[in-house]
Amino acid sequence: MSGQGKVVCVTGASGYIASWLVKLLLQCGYTVKATVRDPRQISSQLQNFSFPTPLAIKTEHLLALEGAKERLHLFKANLLEEGSFDSVVDGCDGVFHTASPVVMIVDDPQAQLIDPALEGTMSVLGSCAKVPSVKRVVVTSSMASVAFNGKPLAPDVLVDESWFSDPVFCEKSKLWYMLSKTLAEEAAWKFAKENGIDMVFAVDWSPDGEKVAYGGRDRVLNLWMG
Ligand SMILES: NC(=O)c1ccc[n+]([C@@H]2O[C@H](COP(=O)([O-])OP(=O)(O)OC[C@H]3O[C@@H](n4cnc5c(N)ncnc54)[C@H](OP(=O)(O)O)[C@@H]3O)[C@@H](O)[C@H]2O)c1
């Protein structure tokens, strides 16, 4: 599947799953507009240290990818800044929204998980709704927004697309990451429907990014191409 001449955006590009996705998209010929929280801060740190810093490592692997020099463009964007993604998604054929905090232990669930997941997803979708170029948005969902509803999970239980995690159950059980993904997904479906956005959620149980991008290579690209 050739992506030559097509431009896509990947949010949270320095993340684990997104990094594999960027690699796959570059290999397929796409031009990738990749968002990270602060690319400039990273390069200035590189200048100040003679050894790789943790921040340097966050984008170094992306810049070293085959095709990156020609077709990877890094942009600064933050989920909590309104309009942060506007200029990045402008001109893109498609958007892969992966940025979302993935942490299980937090002091302040609202600030650390729910706000960035929920407001961030709405911000990205809001940016997409403003530009006619975006034909499809692919969002990384999770079993976190599917399986946590209090129903018993047993070998004979089929978990399918009719399943959604229950926000009340998640909150009562203090499953904050699950709650953040569930609220973000609920709000995203509503917004996409109201604004005519072609959106799909990709659900994967496994955190194996390589498998997500390569084992399911055709599946990943089909999600985007439809
Ligand atoms: N890991 C899993 O088991 C799993 C399974 C299924 C689905 N997912 C979903 O897949 C996606 C990626 O997960 P991952 O495992 O690759 O996680 P990850 O490596 O932690 O990546 C998450 C990305 O989100 C970014 N991010 C977090 N808060 C942000 C903010 N306020 N503004 C901008 N960017 C922000 C992070 O940026 P920084 O690098 O700057 O922190 C990072 O690039 C998430 O939506 C997750 O829910 C994960």
Side-chain angles (χ1 to χ4, degrees), residues 171-190:
E171 192 166 359
K172 265 194 200 156
S173 314
K174 298 191 184 340
L175 297 168
W176 305 121
Y177 170 68
M178 288 69 180
L179 180 62
S180 75
K181 294 296 286 180
T182 307
L183 293 177
E185 189 161 332
E186 264 184 9
W189 279 122
K190 187 169 180 289

Side-chain angles (χ1 to χ4, degrees), residues 104-217:
M104 300 299 149
I105 300 167
V106 287
D107 300 322
D108 184 344
Q110 189 69 39
Q112 290 171 263
L113 275 165
I114 295 163
D115 288 347
L118 177 57
E119 288 175 25
T121 300
M122 297 314 287
S123 171
V124 171
L125 288 179
S127 301
C128 294
K130 289 180 201 162
V131 294
S133 65
V134 175
K135 295 178 190 67
R136 171 165 281 196
V137 182
V138 180
V139 186
T140 45
S141 177
S142 168
M143 286 305 285
S145 53
V146 173
F148 296 85
N149 48 24
K151 289 188 209 168
L153 286 169
D156 62 333
V157 173
L158 178 69
V159 178
D160 63 15
E161 67 276 12
S162 67
W163 275 56
F164 284 100
S165 295
D166 175 11
V168 175
F169 175 81
C170 291
E171 192 166 359
K172 265 194 200 156
S173 314
K174 298 191 184 340
L175 297 168
W176 305 121
Y177 170 68
M178 288 69 180
L179 180 62
S180 75
K181 294 296 286 180
T182 307
L183 293 177
E185 189 161 332
E186 264 184 9
W189 279 122
K190 187 169 180 289
F191 185 87
K193 207 172 167 189
E194 286 168 2
N195 290 274
I197 294 177
D198 181 356
M199 182 185 70
V200 289
F201 272 84
V203 185
D204 208 294
W205 178 263
S206 155
D208 185 340
E210 183 173 14
K211 193 196 79 189
V212 170
Y214 286 89
R217 184 186 171 112

